[in-house]
Amino acid sequence: IDRQEIRDFTAGELAAVLSDLVGLEVEWTPTSTSERSFSNSLVYLVDQGVLQVGDELQFNTDAMHNNPDLKFEPDSDYWMCTIADPSDQKSVRWAHDGELHSLSDLARRIDHDHRDTDRTNYAGPDYWFIPGLEEYSLLEVARGIQNGELNPGELQSEIQ
């Protein structure tokens, strides 16, 4: 028996091999971003021209769990970060310490600074918004654009 090791494959590669195997013509289309969790909303919003390197983001204190007493003034740099490299894991520079972080790491750190919790998982884009678009989290803006409910060009004029 001839044995071959099974290698890692993508969904597209699997679809092509299976269609060849059963003799069907199958066209495979990658999953659209609307079906993903938008874990990389920041990259998507940069790609859509809504955000760019150097833009500021603000933490939404209303998104914090259990509404803790805030230890910093609302206009403090503690609540702000700047987009540094959207494609990097640590994509933003926190104004409070000048260091690079991920949005999720900052959401966790800010939440832990304000309450005693063991929680470790945070969806960073749910906690941050673009100044001028306070009514939407980054995740909501990304989903709104993907679903055709928000227009990137109109959003740009609101944040300028």
Side-chain angles (χ1 to χ4, degrees):
I1 296 178
D2 183 25
R3 295 182 183 218
Q4 292 184 352
E5 188 175 321
I6 297 176
R7 64 177 178 86
D8 290 337
F9 54 86
T10 65
E13 291 169 329
L14 178 61
V17 168
L18 289 176
S19 69
D20 287 344
L21 184 64
V22 295
L24 297 174
E25 285 192 36
V26 176
E27 185 174 320
W28 179 79
T29 306
T31 307
S32 74
T33 39
S34 64
E35 296 173 15
R36 287 193 227 148
S37 67
F38 267 112
S39 63
N40 213 340
S41 299
L42 196 58
V43 170
Y44 181 78
L45 293 173
V46 168
D47 289 347
Q48 294 297 309
V50 175
L51 291 171
Q52 60 186 353
V53 171
D55 284 350
E56 286 191 339
L57 302 174
Q58 188 167 347
F59 187 83
N60 181 2
T61 57
D62 292 335
M64 293 175 71
H65 301 275
N66 301 330
N67 300 316
D69 291 329
L70 302 181
K71 297 179 181 179
F72 297 87
E73 293 297 317
D75 61 349
S76 168
D77 65 359
Y78 181 82
W79 309 108
M80 302 296 292
C81 68
T82 304
I83 299 171
D85 182 353
S87 63
D88 194 56
Q89 172 64 29
K90 294 182 177 183
S91 56
V92 296
R93 187 171 304 282
W94 192 18
H96 185 67
D97 70 3
E99 298 294 322
L100 293 172
H101 299 272
S102 70
L103 291 174
S104 296
D105 177 54
L106 282 179
R108 180 194 55 75
R109 185 166 173 182
I110 289 170
D111 192 38
H112 285 224
D113 282 353
H114 286 85
R115 67 187 186 113
D116 186 25
T117 181
D118 292 332
R119 184 175 176 195
T120 58
N121 295 324
Y122 292 81
D126 276 336
Y127 293 86
W128 294 89
F129 66 87
I130 303 165
L133 297 175
E134 289 82 5
E135 65 273 22
Y136 302 110
S137 71
L138 293 177
L139 179 64
E140 291 168 330
V141 172
R143 284 189 175 151
I145 292 170
Q146 178 64 30
N147 296 332
E149 298 164 0
L150 296 173
N151 180 303
E154 292 173 9
L155 293 173
Q156 289 171 339
S157 66
E158 289 184 44
I159 33 184
Q160 300 298 332

